[in-house]
Amino acid sequence: MNLYHDYCLEDFVLDARFQQWVRHQQPEDVAFWEGYLAKNPHQAQEIKQAKTLLSSVYRRYQSPISDVEIQLEIQKLVEKARAEKEKPAIESTDEVTPTVRFQPVSKWIWRAAAVVVLGLGIRFLLTQSPQSAYQQSTAGQQLVEKINESNSPQSVLLSDGSKITLQPKARLSYPASFQKDHRKVYLSGVAFFEVSKDSKRPFLVYANDLVTKVLGTSFLVNAQEGASKTIVEVREGRVSVFKKLDIETQKNLIGQESKGVVLTANQKLVFEPEANQLIKTLSETPQMVATANESPSLSFHNAPVSEVLKTLEKAYQVDILFDEDLLSDCPLTATLTNQSLYEKLTIICEAIEAHYEVIDGQIVVHSKGCK
C-alpha cells in the first residue's frame, strides 16, 4: 500500500520521514524519496513545494532553537496555509499577486513560508495606545539618563560593554549596573545599538509600545515621541520585537523569541500607531554582512542564476526564494560589485526575463525558466 499516495503539500510538511529527508539528507532517505518521486510524478509539485518550505525553516533556524520549537514553527506553517486556503475568494485577491509565476506557486505557500521563518506573519494588532518609554515602571531602581543635546551623534558605553550611539535629541535611560538576569534600557528618539553578547542576560530596549529583545547584535531603533512610525532595523544578528505587554513580567523575559516578530540581518519592522499594526519588510538599503574568513566574489561568468542568488543570499544574509531547478539552466555573466542589492536583483531578473518582490522580509524571484 502506498502510504503517501493521497498526500497533499501539508501532509508532506508534517510527515516525520519527509522532514528527516529534507533536514539531514541521509543516503537511505535520499534513495527512498528519489525513488518515490520517480514512481509518483503526479506528486512532484507538492513534494518540491514542501521541500522548499521546510528547507527555509531549517536554514533560518540553524542557530539556537530546539527540535520542539522547530516543530511548533512547522505547525504554524500548516495552520497559516489552511487559513489562507479557507478564505473567501474575494479576500485572496491582493495587489502583490505576481503576473509571472513559476511552476505555478500558490500565494499562500510563500506567505506560509514567511510565517515559519519570521515566527509571526507579516503583521499583528497592538492593543495599547502609544506612550513614551519613560512611562515604564522603574520602582526601586535608579536610572541614569543621557540626552544628546548636540547636533552630532554621541556614544554611550554601558556597564556590560554595550555601545549605544544616540542621534541628536535622542534620550536614553538605563541602570548604572544591570540586574543578574536581564539588561533593560529605555529609548526615545533614534539610536544605534551594538550589544555585547550575554546569553544569560537578554538585552531589552523599551521604545514607545515596542520592546526589542537581543542577546548580542547591532541594530537601529527609531522611536521618536509623537512620530507616525516606530522602526526597528537589524544590521547583524537577530532580534525579537514584542508588544510591550507581552514581556511586562519577569517570567516572560527568557525563552520567548519564537513568540515575537523575529528580525534578522537587513530586515526591519515598522509600527504604525494610526493603523495599529506591525509590518515586516527588508531594509531600504540592505548591506552585505561581513564575515571573518571570506569575502564573496560577485563577478560571474556563465554562472547558473541559482548559484548567483545563493551567493547574494549568503552575502546579505537574507532569504531569497526561487525555483532552483528552473534557474539552474539560466546562465549569467555579470559583475555585481558596486550596485545595491535591489539593483543586483534587477540586473539578474532583466537578464532572464523574471521579476522579484519582497514579501514579509523575504525576496521571492518569479521566473518561467530558461529551458
Side-chain angles (χ1 to χ4, degrees):
M1 179 178 177
N2 185 347
L3 176 64
Y4 305 104
H5 186 268
D6 295 322
Y7 266 29
C8 65
L9 183 145
E10 298 160 40
D11 298 319
F12 283 117
V13 167
L14 290 175
D15 186 83
R17 188 172 187 180
F18 189 88
Q19 293 175 7
Q20 180 80 8
W21 169 49
V22 175
R23 189 176 187 185
H24 300 295
Q25 290 289 300
Q26 295 296 326
E28 59 272 21
D29 293 323
V30 172
F32 173 82
W33 286 105
E34 287 183 352
Y36 183 86
L37 270 168
K39 295 178 181 178
N40 299 273
H42 67 286
Q43 290 177 293
Q45 190 62 30
E46 298 281 334
I47 290 174
K48 178 184 291 186
Q49 292 170 353
K51 186 178 180 182
T52 297
L53 299 189
L54 287 175
S55 295
S56 184
V57 176
Y58 298 136
R59 182 175 63 249
R60 175 57 61 187
Y61 287 120
Q62 288 175 356
S63 57
I65 185 170
S66 68
D67 288 346
V68 172
E69 289 175 299
I70 287 178
Q71 287 304 118
L72 288 174
E73 295 301 323
I74 291 173
Q75 186 61 47
K76 288 180 185 179
L77 159 70
V78 175
E79 291 172 359
K80 178 66 176 179
R82 289 171 179 164
E84 288 285 343
K85 291 197 294 184
E86 290 171 2
K87 284 183 179 181
I90 189 172
E91 293 184 16
S92 65
T93 301
D94 144 346
E95 63 181 4
V96 301
T97 302
T99 56
V100 179
R101 294 183 178 272
F102 51 89
Q103 287 289 34
V105 178
S106 299
K107 176 176 62 180
W108 70 264
I109 293 173
W110 296 119
R111 293 197 170 175
V115 169
V116 174
V117 172
L118 306 179
L120 188 76
I122 58 172
R123 61 186 68 177
F124 61 84
L125 297 180
L126 298 177
T127 58
Q128 291 182 280
S129 59
Q131 57 182 312
S132 168
Y134 293 91
Q135 293 176 323
Q136 304 289 336
S137 173
T138 56
Q141 187 180 33
Q142 293 294 322
L143 297 181
V144 178
E145 183 174 83
K146 295 290 185 181
I147 303 175
N148 184 358
E149 298 177 336
S150 72
N151 294 321
S152 58
Q154 289 186 348
S155 296
V156 178
L157 187 65
L158 304 185
S159 60
D160 67 333
S162 296
K163 179 182 176 182
I164 293 91
T165 302
L166 300 177
Q167 294 299 315
K169 300 182 181 179
R171 178 172 51 165
L172 182 76
S173 289
Y174 57 94
S177 59
F178 290 113
Q179 297 185 14
K180 294 181 179 180
D181 53 1
H182 66 272
R183 299 168 286 171
K184 186 184 297 185
V185 302
Y186 303 90
L187 173 71
S188 175
V190 181
F192 184 76
F193 290 77
E194 297 172 88
V195 177
S196 297
K197 292 185 179 180
D198 188 340
S199 60
K200 295 181 180 180
R201 293 193 299 171
F203 193 100
L204 297 118
V205 180
Y206 283 72
N208 293 340
D209 270 329
L210 301 183
V211 181
T212 302
K213 172 189 168 186
V214 303
L215 297 178
T217 187
S218 58
F219 60 99
L220 175 80
V221 177
N222 185 337
Q224 301 179 65
E225 291 188 36
S228 61
K229 298 178 181 178
T230 299
I231 299 171
V232 178
E233 187 168 349
V234 177
R235 177 175 295 176
E236 294 184 22
R238 181 169 65 186
V239 308
S240 294
V241 184
F242 298 81
K243 292 184 293 183
K244 180 167 65 69
L245 201 61
D246 286 345
I247 53 174
E248 285 279 88
T249 59
Q250 178 72 23
K251 65 182 179 180
N252 287 329
L253 292 176
I254 309 298
Q256 296 294 316
E257 179 174 327
S258 62
K259 293 185 179 180
V261 178
V262 178
L263 299 177
T264 56
N266 288 312
Q267 292 181 334
K268 73 176 182 179
L269 182 141
V270 180
F271 168 46
E272 299 178 345
E274 289 189 6
N276 204 31
Q277 66 185 15
L278 287 168
I279 301 173
K280 185 158 191 168
T281 185
L282 285 181
S283 302
E284 292 180 3
T285 56
Q287 302 296 313
M288 285 195 287
V289 179
T291 58
N293 300 321
E294 56 182 306
S295 178
S297 171
L298 297 179
S299 292
F300 304 96
H301 180 71
N302 285 332
V305 167
S306 57
E307 295 302 319
V308 176
L309 292 175
K310 288 179 182 178
T311 299
L312 293 181
E313 185 177 52
K314 184 176 181 180
Y316 288 88
Q317 293 188 13
V318 298
D319 286 319
I320 304 178
L321 304 181
F322 58 94
D323 189 313
E324 184 171 352
D325 291 340
L326 281 178
L327 298 187
S328 61
D329 291 320
C330 296
L332 179 74
T333 297
T335 299
L336 305 175
T337 304
N338 299 318
Q339 307 89 345
S340 70
L341 174 60
Y342 298 125
E343 289 171 337
K344 291 177 172 71
L345 291 168
T346 297
I347 291 171
I348 293 169
C349 288
E350 287 180 350
I352 62 173
E353 297 184 352
H355 78 276
Y356 75 91
E357 60 182 333
V358 176
I359 300 177
D360 300 351
Q362 297 174 297
I363 296 166
V364 181
V365 178
H366 304 279
S367 172
K368 293 181 179 180
C370 302
K371 294 181 179 179

